[in-house]
Amino acid sequence: MQPLWIGMTGGLLLGVLTSFAAAQTAQKPQALQSLRDKYQAALHDITRLQQELDSLKKQRGTSSESAPASDFFLAGGAYINLKKYPEAVAALSRALERAPQDALAWRTRGIAQTYLGAYQQALHDFDRALALDAQDALAYNHRGIAHYALQHMQQASSDFTKAIELNAKLAEAYNNRGIVAHRLGNYQQASKDFVSAAQLGMELASQHQEMLRNDIRQAQARLQTAGLNPGPADGVLGQQTSTALQQYQGQHGLH
C-alpha cells in the first residue's frame, strides 16, 4: 500500500506504510541534502526547547512529578520529531493524566501511536480528540490514516472527506482520499483528489497522479487485449475507457 500523509500539523511527510519507501529514497542528492539541513535545524530547535524547559523547571523548583501538562506535551512533540515514539507516548500520557480534556494532546498521542503501528490505540486517541473537538480536521485526517492501515477503507474515506469538509485547503486529506479511491479502483475520484492536492501545493500528489496514469494505461491495454475499445492507452480515463471498463465488468460479473 502507498503511504499516507501524517505530519503533526501538515509539515512533515512520514510513511506509515513502506511500499513507497524506494521512491522516496530515490530523491536527487540536493533534495536529500536539503532534508538533512532541515533535520539538523529541527534538532537544534528541539535541543534549545529542552534547555528552556529544564531552565524553567529549575526556576520553579519542580520535579517531573509536579511538572505541568504543557511540559509533557512539548516533550512528547519533541520526541516525535526525534522519532522516539515510545517516549512520545509516555510523555503525552503524562500530559493527559494532568489535562484529560486536552484534545490536542489526544490527537498528538494518536499520531505517536500510529508511528508505532498501534493503530487500535491510535483510533482510541483520535476518537477522544474528536469527542472533545469535533471541528478538528487534522484529527479526522489522522484517524483516516489509522483506519486505512487497518484496511477499513470506507471509514478511512469518510474521515478524509470530513477533514476536507472542515478544511477545504487541507491538501494531505485530498491526497489521502485519492490513495483510498485508487486502492478501491475508483480512478475518477482518485484523479480529482490528486489534482486538488497538487493544486494546493502538495508535490507528492503529482507523483501519485502519475502512478494512477500508469495503472490506467495498463488497464486500457488489458481492455484492448480483451477485445474491447477503451481508446488509446494514454493513461487518461475518458468516457471511452469508462464505457469499456463497464462492459468488461458486466461481462465478468464484477458490477
Side-chain angles (χ1 to χ4, degrees):
M1 288 188 291
Q2 299 174 31
L4 298 184
W5 179 276
I6 61 170
M8 284 184 62
T9 57
L12 296 173
L13 177 62
L14 301 164
V16 177
L17 306 169
T18 59
S19 66
F20 198 63
Q24 290 183 327
T25 57
Q27 297 178 54
K28 295 180 181 179
Q30 56 266 37
L32 290 174
Q33 185 58 49
S34 176
L35 287 174
R36 292 191 189 100
D37 291 344
K38 291 179 180 178
Y39 181 68
Q40 290 299 323
L43 288 179
H44 179 271
D45 288 342
I46 292 166
T47 300
R48 177 181 54 78
L49 175 60
Q50 189 59 58
Q51 290 172 344
E52 291 176 357
L53 287 174
D54 291 343
S55 175
L56 182 59
K57 288 177 183 178
K58 289 179 181 178
Q59 292 174 19
R60 290 174 176 164
T62 59
S63 66
S64 61
E65 291 301 318
S66 60
S70 59
D71 284 7
F72 288 112
F73 175 78
L74 291 172
Y79 279 130
I80 288 177
N81 286 330
L82 289 170
K83 300 183 180 181
K84 295 184 176 182
Y85 306 125
E87 293 87 345
V89 169
L92 291 162
S93 296
R94 300 291 291 279
L96 287 165
E97 289 172 2
R98 290 157 173 76
Q101 301 304 307
D102 188 340
L104 182 56
W106 284 109
R107 187 230 289 170
T108 306
R109 193 177 74 170
I111 293 170
Q113 300 279 24
T114 302
Y115 279 116
L116 286 172
Y119 302 120
Q120 290 291 355
Q121 293 92 323
L123 285 179
H124 169 269
D125 286 352
F126 295 136
D127 287 346
R128 291 294 300 270
L130 288 167
L132 292 165
D133 182 3
Q135 302 303 306
D136 187 349
L138 287 173
Y140 278 107
N141 181 58
H142 293 308
R143 191 174 71 175
I145 291 165
H147 276 306
Y148 177 84
L150 291 168
Q151 306 294 311
H152 304 160
M153 296 300 161
Q154 294 302 329
Q155 294 98 317
S157 183
S158 294
D159 275 346
F160 297 138
T161 296
K162 183 63 176 179
I164 291 167
E165 291 173 358
L166 291 170
N167 183 354
K169 294 184 178 181
L170 190 58
E172 54 263 41
Y174 287 101
N175 180 69
N176 290 343
R177 190 175 68 176
I179 290 173
V180 174
H182 188 178
R183 177 86 186 280
L184 294 175
N186 188 348
Y187 290 172
Q188 288 182 328
Q189 183 63 54
S191 181
K192 290 179 182 178
D193 284 339
F194 292 147
V195 168
S196 295
Q199 289 175 342
L200 289 168
M202 190 173 187
E203 294 182 6
L204 183 67
S206 298
Q207 298 177 33
H208 288 161
Q209 178 76 341
E210 186 56 38
M211 293 169 65
L212 175 63
R213 291 193 188 99
N214 288 335
D215 282 357
I216 293 173
R217 290 188 191 99
Q218 293 176 23
Q220 289 168 329
R222 288 194 292 270
L223 289 168
Q224 291 171 346
T225 301
L228 299 171
N229 183 18
D234 55 5
V236 178
L237 189 64
Q239 185 58 51
Q240 196 169 354
T241 299
S242 296
T243 299
L245 183 59
Q246 291 172 359
Q247 291 173 343
Y248 180 87
Q249 291 172 334
Q251 291 173 4
H252 294 80
L254 300 175
H255 283 298

